[in-house]
């Protein structure tokens, strides 16, 4: 039976994984550097993944055999302090690897991101293996993690599975400090009947995915036999792509009278180096990925 550790558990993905695993009665130990506002439906321990000794003790105490390592400083926040970002993103990754090797834990899920690509990655439709020259520290750390995943798989037989997530849309749980966050901010502004100033230009097309698809994809990827997987770094995965002005039209066509201003800031440059569309054919072929929530289904959920 799975006994799962989730790190960074109070973030956008973590809280949704906790909800998901509750349905199946899987044992979950959630950790984060802060305490939850409300009681969680699983065990919780306040812990910093940079403190390897403490995490190792928790892994032993709760007999963990699977790790969802979600700790990360996202793209926009990362640019404000690249050194802290590298330290958190990479040293937490390295600690998880060391703890896994020491405790014979083979199964790890670790999200990568569309931030691993760069302007020479054929951004109109990014293949699984283009040249990758990420332009943010977040992207550099995610790409380093991908390379290390392949290396540790060869070296120690670790089975780190990973998805290059696009922007994730959830309205219950919020992201923090990403470049794709505008979509959630705009949707929440519409719901709250307030105006919104978008930090990206109208025509910035970026790939997005509804949270339920993001969670289902990870759980499905984790359940597939390793021999079916041809990629040991991270899989491209795609939902739908949209620009802020298309989202504005969609929101207005649903009867929301929202005023949107456009005032691009430093995040525009980040978005310019990210994909518009993603080729996820390897995910479809290797582990049967299929997206359930296109734009319409996502907006139906958000406004339901
Ligand atoms: N949502 C992330 C970000 O914007 C991308 O992985 O940083």
């Amino acid at each position: 039976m799975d006994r799962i550790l989730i790190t960074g558990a109070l973030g956008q993905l973590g809280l949704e994984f906790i909800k998901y695993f509750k349905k199946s009665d899987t044992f979950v130990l959630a950790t984060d550097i802060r305490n939850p506002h409300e009681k969680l439906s699983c065990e919780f321990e306040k812990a910093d993944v940079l403190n390897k000794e403490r995490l190792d003790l928790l892994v032993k105490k709760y007999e963990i055999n699977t790790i969802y390592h979600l700790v990360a400083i996202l793209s926009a926040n990362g640019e404000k302090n690249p050194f802290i970002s590298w330290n958190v993103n990479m040293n937490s990754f390295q600690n998880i690897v060391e703890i896994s090797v020491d405790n014979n834990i083979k199964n790890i899920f670790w999200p990568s991101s569309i931030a691993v690509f760069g302007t020479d990655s054929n951004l109109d439709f990014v293949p699984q293996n283009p040249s990758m020259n990420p332009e943010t520290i977040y992207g550099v750390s995610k790409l380093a993690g991908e390379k290390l995943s392949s290396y540790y798989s060869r070296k120690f037989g670790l089975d780190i599975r990973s998805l290059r997530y696009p922007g994730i849309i959830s309205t219950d749980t919020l992201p923090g400090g990403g470049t794709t966050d505008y979509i959630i901010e705009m949707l929440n502004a519409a719901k709250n009947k307030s105006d919104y100033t978008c930090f990206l230009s109208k025509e910035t097309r970026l790939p997005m995915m509804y949270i339920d698809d993001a969670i289902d994809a990870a759980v499905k990827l984790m359940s597939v036999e390793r021999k079916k997987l041809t990629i040991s770094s991270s899989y491209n995965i795609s939902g739908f792509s949209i620009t802020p002005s298309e989202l504005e039209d969609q929101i207005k066509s649903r009867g929301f009278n929202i005023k949107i201003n456009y005032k691009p800031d430093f995040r525009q440059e980040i978005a310019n180096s990210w994909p518009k569309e993603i080729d996820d054919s390897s995910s479809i072929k290797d582990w049967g990925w299929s997206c359930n929530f296109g734009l319409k289904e996502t907006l139906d959920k958000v406004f339901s």
Side-chain angles (χ1 to χ4, degrees):
M1 187 175 142
D2 285 348
R3 295 183 63 83
I4 299 176
L5 164 67
I6 301 180
T7 69
L10 301 183
Q12 184 192 21
L13 284 167
L15 288 168
E16 296 289 338
F17 275 119
I18 291 171
K19 272 197 234 165
Y20 180 92
F21 289 125
K22 180 173 184 267
K23 286 186 273 172
S24 60
D25 266 341
T26 305
F27 175 84
V28 171
L29 168 63
T31 62
D32 206 295
I33 48 171
R34 58 200 157 100
N35 282 315
H37 294 310
E38 291 166 12
K39 195 172 162 12
L40 301 176
S41 58
C42 64
E43 293 287 335
F44 177 82
E45 296 266 5
K46 192 170 165 185
D48 184 345
V49 187
L50 296 178
N51 183 341
K52 195 173 76 184
E53 286 68 35
R54 169 146 168 79
L55 208 69
D56 188 59
L57 283 175
L58 293 176
V59 161
K60 290 183 165 68
K61 176 177 166 194
Y62 289 94
E63 297 174 0
I64 297 299
N65 58 24
T66 302
I67 300 179
Y68 282 62
H69 175 46
L70 309 179
V71 167
I73 294 182
L74 295 182
S75 58
N77 273 355
E79 290 313 289
K80 292 177 193 159
N81 195 324
F83 301 125
I84 291 178
S85 178
W86 177 264
N87 182 33
V88 170
N89 294 356
M90 290 323 296
N91 289 331
S92 71
F93 181 94
Q94 292 291 83
N95 284 348
I96 291 294
V97 166
E98 276 192 58
I99 288 167
S100 298
V101 170
D102 291 349
N103 292 279
N104 202 24
I105 295 170
K106 301 276 184 234
N107 303 324
I108 300 162
F109 177 75
W110 171 78
S112 185
S113 162
I114 53 170
V116 292
F117 302 113
T119 46
D120 49 3
S121 300
N122 190 26
L123 295 179
D124 285 342
F125 189 58
V126 172
Q128 176 65 40
N129 282 313
S131 29
M132 286 186 248
N133 292 300
E135 293 177 22
T136 57
I137 193 70
Y138 174 63
V140 170
S141 63
K142 287 294 183 189
L143 185 56
E146 287 193 12
K147 302 280 182 203
L148 287 168
S149 295
S150 299
Y151 170 76
Y152 291 133
S153 156
R154 287 194 304 276
K155 181 85 179 166
F156 299 118
L158 279 192
D159 188 359
I160 303 177
R161 301 191 181 185
S162 178
L163 298 168
R164 291 174 179 150
Y165 279 133
I168 307 290
I169 300 169
S170 60
T171 45
D172 294 345
T173 56
L174 299 179
T179 303
T180 53
D181 294 9
Y182 91 83
I183 195 161
I184 296 176
E185 293 174 4
M186 200 189 289
L187 291 169
N188 279 333
K191 287 173 85 163
N192 298 329
K193 299 188 174 28
S194 47
D195 295 342
Y196 178 61
T197 300
C198 182
F199 57 76
L200 297 181
S201 72
K202 280 183 173 201
E203 307 310 329
T204 310
R205 182 171 301 281
L206 288 170
M208 302 286 174
M209 172 172 287
Y210 188 59
I211 184 77
D212 290 15
D213 269 343
I215 301 296
D216 284 350
V219 173
K220 181 151 198 203
L221 178 65
M222 289 296 279
S223 71
V224 166
E225 277 176 284
R226 180 78 236 182
K227 65 174 193 261
K228 290 200 172 147
L229 303 180
T230 57
I231 287 163
S232 59
S233 54
S234 186
Y235 276 92
N236 278 9
I237 188 170
S238 165
F240 59 92
S241 290
I242 193 164
T243 66
S245 92
E246 288 166 357
L247 182 66
E248 179 180 351
D249 290 346
Q250 287 287 330
I251 289 172
K252 287 186 170 155
S253 74
R254 286 174 181 248
F256 293 93
N257 187 16
I258 178 175
K259 180 161 172 21
I260 308 219
N261 298 306
Y262 290 90
K263 223 173 151 188
D265 65 15
F266 73 100
R267 289 168 278 193
Q268 183 65 46
E269 211 177 316
I270 299 176
N272 291 344
S273 71
W274 283 9
K276 295 182 174 54
E277 309 268 352
I278 307 271
D279 175 2
D280 58 358
S281 50
S282 295
S283 285
I284 295 169
K285 190 160 139 271
D286 284 6
W287 53 275
W289 156 244
S290 72
C291 158
N292 285 317
F293 292 86
L295 173 63
K296 181 185 174 301
E297 295 76 19
T298 299
L299 295 184
D300 286 349
K301 276 287 230 183
V302 167
F303 292 120
S304 63

